[in-house]
Amino acid sequence: MYQITKTFPEQERYGLTSQMRRAAVSIPSNIAEGAARQTPKEFIQYLHVSQGSLSELDTQLDLGKRLRWLQAKNVNRLESARNRLDKMLSGLIRHQKSSHPLRLTPHEKINSPSIRKGVE
């Protein structure tokens, strides 16, 4: 993103250029921060924040395209990378949700040996 936005007009240095760079950096930063959290639920929350940053970047790329500040070769490459990253994030979220150890039905919660131990 830094290389691509180098070609943007100088007057956009603190505008769209800065926003695009921050959104791009925010994606892996939130994944890393979420992975360091204590629970899968917190990790999932940070993965969703990463998806939000990706959506924000997608909108900003569209603006760059409409303003004709992005070269066609870069647009295609960025759109392809965005789609791959969105699929990876969605898959990771699905995986985290499906492997969450506390996803019990109400009946399982009541009959769980670890819960019954606390009650007895």
Side-chain angles (χ1 to χ4, degrees):
M1 195 53 55
Y2 280 78
Q3 291 298 320
I4 289 168
T5 55
K6 270 186 180 180
T7 63
F8 282 18
E10 182 64 29
Q11 71 266 20
E12 281 301 313
R13 184 176 184 185
Y14 300 105
L16 191 57
T17 301
S18 177
Q19 287 182 308
M20 290 175 76
R21 289 175 177 183
R22 279 186 278 125
V25 168
S26 176
I27 297 165
S29 297
N30 278 297
I31 294 168
E33 187 173 351
R37 292 298 173 152
Q38 298 297 314
T39 67
K41 185 177 179 181
E42 287 178 294
F43 185 28
I44 291 166
Q45 180 181 354
Y46 278 85
L47 292 173
H48 283 294
V49 172
S50 289
Q51 278 187 319
S53 295
L54 183 60
S55 293
E56 183 180 341
L57 183 58
D58 188 43
T59 300
Q60 295 158 349
L61 289 170
D62 188 52
L63 288 169
K65 194 168 45 174
R66 289 172 186 241
L67 292 166
R68 298 174 195 227
W69 294 345
L70 290 168
Q71 299 172 0
K73 67 177 182 176
N74 289 335
V75 170
N76 294 334
R77 197 174 87 221
L78 290 168
E79 286 176 349
S80 175
R82 192 213 77 80
N83 290 335
R84 281 193 324 271
L85 185 52
D86 187 44
K87 287 178 184 177
M88 286 190 283
L89 284 168
S90 295
L92 185 53
I93 290 168
R94 271 193 312 278
H95 174 73
Q96 289 297 312
K97 285 182 176 180
S98 69
S99 63
H100 195 289
L102 298 177
R103 293 181 63 85
L104 301 174
T105 65
H107 183 312
E108 291 170 319
K109 287 177 185 175
I110 292 169
N111 293 315
S112 169
S114 60
I115 293 175
R116 275 189 293 173
K117 250 186 206 176
V119 173
E120 294 172 356

